[in-house]
Amino acid sequence: MKGIILAGGSATRLRPLTGALSKQLLPVYDKPMIYYPLSVLMLGGIRDILVISSHQHMDMFKAMLGDGSRIGLNLDYAVQDQPRGIAEAFHIGDKHIGDDRVALVLGDNVFHGPGFSTVLHHSIQRLDGCELFGYPVNAPEQYGVATIDARGRLLSLEEKPRRPPSNLAVTGLYLYDNDVVELARDLEPSPRGELEITDINRAYLEQGRARLTELGRGFAWLDMGTHDSLLQAGQYVQLLEQRQGERIACIEEIALRMGFIDADTCYRLGQELTASSYGGYLMDVASRFTAGRAG
């Protein structure tokens, strides 16, 4: 399965923070925002990943992440010159996807919860069409809202409904089979001139090939589109990391635990960051990993 991170857009709600800097490069406590969606794809075992952003910010992403080989990934980059909807990612990334399936994650989303990697692998294994992820929210009228049956089959989708049929918001993580490329190619733009991801999902719904996994109690989904939500995400990460002593979305640690890199590589990556507690954490993780294998 291929992966796509959509890190474009103008992020006008975060101005003046995003006057010259991409939203996905802003710090979320101890790491840049893009680490969080990148970690989601990695937890799903996905290593071939396309980062889509604006021409203005592309060099910054390349300088930060490189080609991904340092953590066992294959990263590529593509430009979205103007934000024309989430589904445009499948136009821009059609060559990257090729004949494969694809996971799309929005660049400003945080997902965290126990066994999340297991949830992702299960969803990928059973994928037959479209797989969405839902999260219960207090104000569903602000989101795309789904209803499902007892087996997780999607029954309805509504975008920001005045009278929501449920409190289940559709998150910014989507899994598709290869048909999504053709569906996106045939998609008609909305009155705003955008290619809507909801229209893609409805096409799968009409075919009876759409499912939704509910991320319930114990999971957290955060959308960092405003100043308040960006601050709340940073506070959430800070609280958990300081109390539990483990880092959220630490891509080097995930690469180690997923078998993308070995402990020696992880330790060396930590040595490069010894001036920060992040580097010390990586070296400690590598040492404990080696000791655990020896024991």
Side-chain angles (χ1 to χ4, degrees):
M1 174 174 274
K2 302 292 177 59
I4 295 177
I5 301 174
L6 186 57
S10 53
T12 53
R13 291 184 297 167
L14 283 172
R15 298 281 175 90
L17 290 176
T18 53
L21 189 66
S22 168
K23 172 172 64 174
Q24 289 81 14
L25 295 173
L26 294 175
V28 180
Y29 184 49
D30 58 351
K31 59 192 75 71
M33 186 186 294
I34 197 169
Y35 274 36
Y36 296 87
L38 178 58
S39 72
V40 169
L41 298 179
M42 293 173 67
L43 286 170
I46 300 169
R47 302 174 72 169
D48 291 316
I49 298 169
L50 178 70
V51 178
I52 297 176
S53 187
S54 66
H55 180 77
Q56 176 187 2
H57 302 129
M58 190 59 68
D59 287 344
M60 299 180 191
F61 284 105
K62 290 180 179 180
M64 174 176 288
L65 300 173
D67 63 3
S69 59
R70 287 161 55 86
I71 55 173
L73 303 180
N74 178 28
L75 297 183
D76 203 353
Y77 301 87
V79 170
Q80 184 184 43
D81 55 1
Q82 293 289 333
R84 299 187 185 90
I86 296 173
E88 190 187 24
F90 305 116
H91 286 198
I92 297 171
D94 58 352
K95 292 183 180 178
H96 169 74
I97 299 168
D99 296 327
D100 211 339
R101 301 178 298 170
V102 62
L104 170 66
V105 61
L106 302 187
D108 62 355
N109 277 214
V110 171
F111 294 86
H112 180 253
F116 188 42
S117 181
T118 301
V119 171
L120 287 175
H121 280 276
H122 176 68
S123 297
I124 291 170
Q125 287 172 1
R126 74 177 184 183
L127 179 63
D128 179 22
C130 163
E131 180 93 19
L132 308 178
F133 295 84
Y135 190 80
V137 296
N138 288 327
E141 65 276 5
Q142 299 177 13
Y143 302 90
V145 176
T147 59
I148 56 175
D149 65 15
R151 293 190 291 174
R153 290 183 301 184
L154 200 61
L155 299 178
S156 70
L157 277 173
E158 297 184 51
E159 190 65 29
K160 297 182 180 179
R162 291 185 178 181
R163 297 181 178 179
S166 79
N167 70 337
L168 200 57
V170 177
T171 71
L173 174 61
Y174 316 86
L175 307 180
Y176 298 102
D177 66 10
N178 193 255
D179 291 347
V180 73
V181 176
E182 189 66 29
L183 288 171
R185 191 176 293 125
D186 295 338
L187 200 62
E188 291 291 331
S190 71
R192 296 184 301 173
E194 296 185 354
L195 299 177
E196 302 286 356
I197 197 70
T198 300
D199 291 337
I200 293 280
N201 297 335
R202 284 201 186 105
Y204 279 102
L205 172 61
E206 292 170 1
Q207 297 173 11
R209 298 196 302 132
R211 296 180 57 89
L212 183 142
T213 294
E214 185 173 355
L215 303 175
R217 183 170 296 181
F219 279 88
W221 168 57
L222 304 169
D223 178 353
M224 298 170 286
T226 66
H227 295 102
D228 285 343
S229 59
L230 178 62
L231 177 62
Q232 290 163 3
Q235 291 172 332
Y236 172 84
V237 174
Q238 179 192 37
L239 177 63
L240 286 187
E241 290 190 351
Q242 291 185 352
R243 287 193 175 183
Q244 297 180 353
E246 297 182 353
R247 299 200 179 227
I248 297 172
C250 178
I251 56 176
E252 297 87 354
E253 179 182 10
I254 293 171
L256 173 62
R257 301 198 183 281
M258 295 296 296
F260 300 167
I261 61 174
D262 59 25
D264 289 341
T265 300
C266 184
Y267 193 89
R268 286 198 304 271
L269 293 173
Q271 285 181 313
E272 295 175 6
L273 303 171
T274 50
S276 72
S277 60
Y278 191 93
Y281 176 80
L282 289 181
M283 289 187 288
D284 184 57
V285 164
S287 297
R288 286 189 281 114
F289 187 86
T290 301
R293 286 293 180 90

